[in-house]
């Protein structure tokens, strides 16, 4: 819950509430109005970043810093991974044995053909101490062999917990790796083109957004997409990607098309040697 709380607090205080924008699209009776509101809000945020040459986080202007949301999102992902790893150490202390390697021992018994139901961690048969009080204040302690059938279930329950924590840890690590790869320049260009093509295939107009445009008739396809992703910066692309994953491709295509159509490529000054 802590990583989720940190992310929601940051998005509310950071000036761009992503959760509220997604809910605006989903909750408005007229979906087009919600999409238009998100288009304007996202474009305003990106233009503000470019105008201020940085971002404003919690009222503090950070010049030449365009990754406030990206950095926070990365920290949140790391915290989720730390959370699953920390639970191993907490269970080590709670169970008073090396829980980290518990699942490996149990699974090795299963695949080697040994008795899977016999566990040294949760014994079914052990020695129990109990007291018998005789007449007066005489107390007699005895140690006898006793059966603990409940440990059969405890063994399998904690094995399931171990497997679940291992799966969560692996998924968190893979999620971080996949997310970092998605933020590389080539992947951002590819994703941008994909959503532009999705919207173009559904648009009644015949023009191609990624080839020639009225604003720049000789704008190269790759340079155009690259310049557009640079205009969005990592924060703008991350916010768009989160909105796209929480809505659908049609809405994401409409948003990226609006940003692309209103995107002003940087002007280049050419000097003559004559």
């Amino acid at each position: 819950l802590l990583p989720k709380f940190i992310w929601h607090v940051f998005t509310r205080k950071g000036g761009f509430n992503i959760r509220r924008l997604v809910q605006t699209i989903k909750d408005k009776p007229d979906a087009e109005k919600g999409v238009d509101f998100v288009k304007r809000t996202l474009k305003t945020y990106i233009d503000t970043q470019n105008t201020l040459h940085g971002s404003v986080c919690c009222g503090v202007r950070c010049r030449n810093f365009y990754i406030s949301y990206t950095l926070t999102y990365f920290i949140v992902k790391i915290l989720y991974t730390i959370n699953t790893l920390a639970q191993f150490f907490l269970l080590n202390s709670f169970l008073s044995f090396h829980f980290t390697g518990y699942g490996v021992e149990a699974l090795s018994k299963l695949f080697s053909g040994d008795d899977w139901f016999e566990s040294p961690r949760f014994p079914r048969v052990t020695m129990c101490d109990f007291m018998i009080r005789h007449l007066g204040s005489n107390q007699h302690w005895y140690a006898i062999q006793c059966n603990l059938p409940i440990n059969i279930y405890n063994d399998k329950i904690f094995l399931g917990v171990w497997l679940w924590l291992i799966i969560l840890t692996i998924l968190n690590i893979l999620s971080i790796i996949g997310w970092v790869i998605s933020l590389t320049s080539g992947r951002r260009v590819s994703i941008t083109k994909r959503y532009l093509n999705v919207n173009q295939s559904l648009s009644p107009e015949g023009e191609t957004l990624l080839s020639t445009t009225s604003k720049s008739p000789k704008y190269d396809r790759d340079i155009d997409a690259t310049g557009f992703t640079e205009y969005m910066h990592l924060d703008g692309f991350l916010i768009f990607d989160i909105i796209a994953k929480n809505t659908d491709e049609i809405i994401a295509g409409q948003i990226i098309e609006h940003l692309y159509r209103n995107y002003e490529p940087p002007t280049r000054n050419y000097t003559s040697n004559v």
Side-chain angles (χ1 to χ4, degrees):
L1 293 178
L2 179 60
K4 182 179 180 181
F5 174 77
I6 292 174
W7 173 248
H8 287 319
V9 169
F10 178 82
T11 54
R12 286 197 298 267
K13 299 295 183 180
F16 197 94
N17 195 330
I18 304 174
R19 185 179 185 182
R20 185 176 66 109
L21 290 179
V22 173
Q23 289 177 344
T24 300
I25 296 175
K26 293 181 177 180
D27 297 343
K28 273 189 175 295
D30 187 355
E32 288 298 325
K33 291 183 178 179
V35 175
D36 289 339
F37 176 75
V38 173
K39 290 177 184 177
R40 295 192 303 269
T41 306
L42 182 54
K43 186 179 187 307
T44 301
Y45 175 79
I46 296 173
D47 289 343
T48 302
Q49 269 197 333
N50 286 284
T51 303
L52 297 177
H53 300 287
S55 59
V56 178
C57 178
C58 302
V60 180
R61 180 180 175 182
C62 304
R63 190 172 180 82
N64 296 323
F65 189 76
Y66 301 93
I67 59 170
S68 56
Y69 278 84
T70 307
L71 181 61
T72 305
Y73 197 75
F74 177 72
I75 292 173
V76 167
K77 282 183 169 290
I78 292 294
L79 287 176
Y80 274 116
T81 306
I82 293 175
N83 179 33
T84 55
L85 293 174
Q87 291 187 49
F88 278 108
F89 296 99
L90 289 175
L91 285 170
N92 283 341
S93 176
F94 174 73
L95 296 174
S96 299
F97 66 79
H98 188 59
F99 180 76
T100 309
Y102 169 68
V104 177
E105 296 175 4
L107 293 177
S108 63
K109 280 189 175 183
L110 173 65
F111 292 112
S112 63
D114 294 339
D115 186 3
W116 192 42
F117 293 96
E118 187 63 37
S119 171
R121 311 297 186 184
F122 299 95
R124 289 180 295 170
V125 179
T126 185
M127 301 301 293
C128 301
D129 295 329
F130 72 98
M131 181 190 68
I132 296 180
R133 184 187 298 273
H134 292 281
L135 185 62
S137 60
N138 295 324
Q139 298 177 357
H140 298 274
W141 288 90
Y142 297 91
I144 63 172
Q145 191 178 63
C146 59
N147 291 324
L148 301 174
I150 190 64
N151 275 349
I152 297 177
Y153 301 101
N154 290 334
D155 182 31
K156 303 307 174 284
I157 289 171
F158 281 100
L159 177 60
V161 171
W162 184 88
L163 289 172
W164 177 243
L165 291 177
I166 286 292
I167 291 172
L168 286 181
T169 303
I170 294 173
L171 290 178
N172 283 328
I173 294 174
L174 292 178
S175 174
I176 293 174
I177 295 173
W179 176 73
V180 170
I181 292 174
S182 71
L183 292 182
T184 59
S185 178
R187 286 293 298 164
R188 283 186 288 147
V189 169
S190 175
I191 292 172
T192 300
K193 287 181 179 180
R194 178 166 64 87
Y195 281 114
L196 285 172
N197 287 328
V198 166
N199 188 74
Q200 179 62 26
S201 65
L202 299 172
S203 174
E205 300 176 2
E207 63 178 354
T208 303
L209 288 173
L210 292 177
S211 55
T212 59
T213 64
S214 58
K215 291 186 295 184
S216 183
K218 293 184 179 180
Y219 219 47
D220 182 76
R221 187 172 191 144
D222 291 331
I223 297 177
D224 197 10
T226 303
F228 177 64
T229 55
E230 291 175 355
Y231 154 78
M232 292 181 69
H233 298 292
L234 285 177
D235 274 4
F237 181 82
L238 172 67
I239 293 171
F240 164 75
D241 191 48
I242 294 174
I243 294 174
K245 289 178 179 178
N246 285 275
T247 52
D248 55 54
E249 288 192 343
I250 298 176
I251 292 175
Q254 293 174 357
I255 295 172
I256 202 71
E257 180 196 17
H258 174 79
L259 296 174
Y260 185 86
R261 285 184 180 278
N262 295 278
Y263 152 65
E264 292 291 342
T267 57
R268 299 180 180 180
N269 296 324
Y270 297 94
T271 57
S272 175
N273 295 325
V274 180

